[in-house]
Amino acid sequence: MTESFTTNPLFERVEVARRRKRRFRDEQITLAHGSGGKSMHELIEGLFLEYLRNPLLELLEDQAVFEVGGDNQKTKLAFTTDSYVVDPIFFPGGNIGSLAVHGTVNDLAMSGARPLYLSAGFILEESFAVADLRRILESMRDAALEAGVQVVTGDTKVVQKGGADKIFINTSGIGVIESPANISVSRAQVGDKVILSGTLGDHGTTILIARGELDLETEIESDSAPLNLLVEEILDEATRLGNIEAIRAMRDPTRGGAATTLNEIAMSSEVYIEIYENQIPVREEVKGACEILGLDPLYVANEGKLLAIVSADIADKIVERMKQNKYGQNACIIGEVNAEPQGIVAMKTGFGGTRIVDMLVGEQLPRIC
Amino acid sequence: MTESFTTNPLFERVEVARRRKRRFRDEQITLAHGSGGKSMHELIEGLFLEYLRNPLLELLEDQAVFEVGGDNQKTKLAFTTDSYVVDPIFFPGGNIGSLAVHGTVNDLAMSGARPLYLSAGFILEESFAVADLRRILESMRDAALEAGVQVVTGDTKVVQKGGADKIFINTSGIGVIESPANISVSRAQVGDKVILSGTLGDHGTTILIARGELDLETEIESDSAPLNLLVEEILDEATRLGNIEAIRAMRDPTRGGAATTLNEIAMSSEVYIEIYENQIPVREEVKGACEILGLDPLYVANEGKLLAIVSADIADKIVERMKQNKYGQNACIIGEVNAEPQGIVAMKTGFGGTRIVDMLVGEQLPRIC
């Protein structure tokens, strides 16, 4: 079925462009460099790695995984960081505080880690309202409680009015990896299934509407949520089935959306990923809003969803188990992994056609998280 | 000698003011809340702790220390975070990149940890020059190399022009505590000596002059430096002398200066700390600049200095060892720990008088780090 695509000239052009050696040539930072998409990958691979390269960083995972302890007492840890600059800071379904906890908890969880401790670094603009800070801290507390993590160290900086936009929060996190699972964006294998934990596009669409620049009223809420317990259930189910190796890759499709995340997996694993448009759950309200806004839900950020690449033999059972978790109720298989053309994602459309799903190019929605 | 101070009415007023239950009543964030001084302590104790309180956070150390691993395989770790918003981003002796590595390395080292891994979270302003980013990354690379740490995970956000001031960097860090030392701001004991690793005020004075608002030309450079190897030597010397318990407290006097750090120790340890003005090393150029600028070097930020509280019996030997390290060449004993009045720091002046050295009140120098 997919073999025919290898000679598709469109695929070839994409592949040739990617193989070109990337040297970072931009002279100024643009919003696209923070998009999560192509420009950001170029910045990371072409600039950050040039200076800071080391074996852990160059894996380009969303978290670093390493061992600590003596020879007979190794403990495997995950470590991650994210700064949150979302605008507006309050939105339906959450605020910058809950988002900062969920985002970092999820980056840890995607490695199979049990998140333990967070740090919180605040950059506040002079004259920021303490009442707003209280609401944000309240949400951080509740989010941390739900995820079972503690904020154990922090930092506060204040910049003069106009030096920053209200509040930025960095959360870094440490988790412990107790499962023998071997999860990596580079482990997708031919025949594997692509599982999505729920509807796409809720967070990004909510943020865009919350900016109030559009005269659009909907009931959409951000999906911002902690996914660590859902991940624990996935790993538990695989263990129960005696096939922990079946869980290949997990990643939360935030900036750049599901399209970008699937491309990251396809490229790292050197596989072809095919998804089916009519299998991808998108809320009617999100679909409607995206049509009006000219957005493609595949590229819109999510903050409470995960994509998992799972061996075909247990994929259905994993989905079944996920559906029992409140953050996995709409879990489903949306695609599969094939061999060729390597590093490409394509979608079978509702009309039976096939279109290439590239990484996000440019910037759709700045400051989405 | 110090007993006479317990009836000094000035001390009593300070103590009464401190005992008053602190509820955070400010309605707006001011620059003083980021000063490292009194207002920041009120923000942390009166607001952040109210929402995020847990046994690790409420210790108010500059880093969280905890154990990971199973019952028979505990590893003790330190975890810390700091956001850097220094203005200007380039200054004599360093830039925001080297500062971000040094500051986090030092916060880890002050707990006796060997710093291992850093995260780096960048918030970039749209149109920031890539050439400047390269210089910053180069400095981060060099600083990490010198300190023996690796940046293993990162994040990049871009905000629109005017949404942030050029570049902010958060670095969080993880270190492993292998020494049996028990280091805490609450462990200073009567009779202990106060050791300072070198000259005071270099960093803050440099930054203020680098802003170019003052027509002042000097040769002052920031002291920004990694102190982890100096700390290793301190711990090694104490171990060699069979008295690791002698190392009570260590802290780097950054925002708020040495005055604020000593107050933190005096309050946490419930002791009286007396320092001697004529023992405190301050460069002539810094002294001169501070006089012109109306600054007190005791309150000016340092980024490559540490204060250590050490048992009197080995304090001289520790100082001797410190002097062999390039970042401890000017190490000296600047004071001692007494019993009463609790929670107070005072300085014997050159003229033989005694003046109270309170925490920094208000904000002297915003965006110093």
Side-chain angles (χ1 to χ4, degrees), chain A residues 23-24 26-31 33-34 40 43 47-48 50-52 54-57 62-64 66 68-69 72-75 77 79-83 85 116-131 133-134 137-138 140-141 150-160 162-165 168 170 172-174 255 367 369, chain B residues 23-24 26-31 33-34 40 43 47-48 50-52 54-57 62-64 66 68-69 72-75 77 79-83 85 116-131 133-134 137-138 140-141 150-160 162-165 168 170 172-174 255 367 369:
Chain A
R23 205 178 135 63
F24 192 74
D26 300 355
E27 291 185 1
Q28 285 201 327
I29 295 295
T30 64
L31 289 171
H33 291 123
M40 199 173 91
L43 176 70
L47 197 71
F48 287 135
E50 178 187 338
Y51 292 98
L52 304 176
N54 60 61
L56 285 171
L57 192 65
D62 280 348
Q63 67 295 116
F66 49 82
V68 295
N72 294 313
Q73 44 177 349
K74 296 280 187 207
T75 302
L77 297 177
F79 179 33
T80 191
T81 193
D82 258 310
S83 296
V85 299
L116 294 175
Y117 300 116
L118 300 190
S119 65
F122 296 87
I123 298 174
L124 304 173
E125 184 185 14
E126 184 185 14
S127 88
F128 186 65
V130 170
L133 184 54
R134 283 186 185 275
L137 289 170
E138 213 168 72
M140 290 184 81
R141 177 195 63 198
Q150 292 184 326
V151 176
V152 294
T153 190
D155 174 56
T156 309
K157 295 293 187 312
V158 182
V159 299
Q160 75 284 8
D165 191 6
F168 301 147
N170 176 284
S172 300
I174 296 178
R255 280 181 293 173
R367 297 182 61 185
C369 63
Chain B
R23 205 178 133 63
F24 192 75
D26 299 353
E27 291 185 1
Q28 285 200 327
I29 295 296
T30 65
L31 289 172
H33 290 122
M40 200 174 89
L43 176 71
L47 197 71
F48 287 134
E50 179 187 337
Y51 293 98
L52 304 177
N54 59 61
L56 285 172
L57 191 65
D62 281 347
Q63 66 297 113
F66 49 82
V68 296
N72 294 315
Q73 43 177 349
K74 296 282 187 205
T75 303
L77 297 178
F79 179 34
T80 191
T81 192
D82 259 310
S83 296
V85 299
L116 294 175
Y117 300 117
L118 300 190
S119 66
F122 296 87
I123 297 175
L124 303 173
E125 183 185 13
E126 183 185 13
S127 89
F128 185 66
V130 169
L133 185 54
R134 283 185 184 275
L137 290 170
E138 211 167 72
M140 292 184 81
R141 176 196 62 197
Q150 292 184 325
V151 176
V152 293
T153 188
D155 175 56
T156 309
K157 295 291 188 313
V158 182
V159 300
Q160 76 285 8
D165 191 7
F168 301 147
N170 176 285
S172 301
I174 296 178
R255 280 182 292 173
R367 298 182 60 185
C369 62

Side-chain angles (χ1 to χ4, degrees), chain A residues 313-358:
Chain A
D313 51 337
I314 70 163
D316 286 326
K317 289 234 159 73
I318 294 291
V319 168
E320 241 170 79
R321 177 73 180 266
M322 287 173 72
K323 282 172 176 289
Q324 292 165 35
N325 182 293
K326 87 188 218 205
Y327 299 123
Q329 280 172 24
N330 298 309
C332 56
I333 291 172
I334 63 159
E336 63 178 34
V337 177
N338 287 300
E340 297 281 345
Q342 270 187 18
I344 299 286
V345 179
M347 182 164 75
K348 287 285 211 190
T349 66
F351 302 109
T354 301
R355 71 170 173 93
I356 288 193
V357 176
D358 204 352

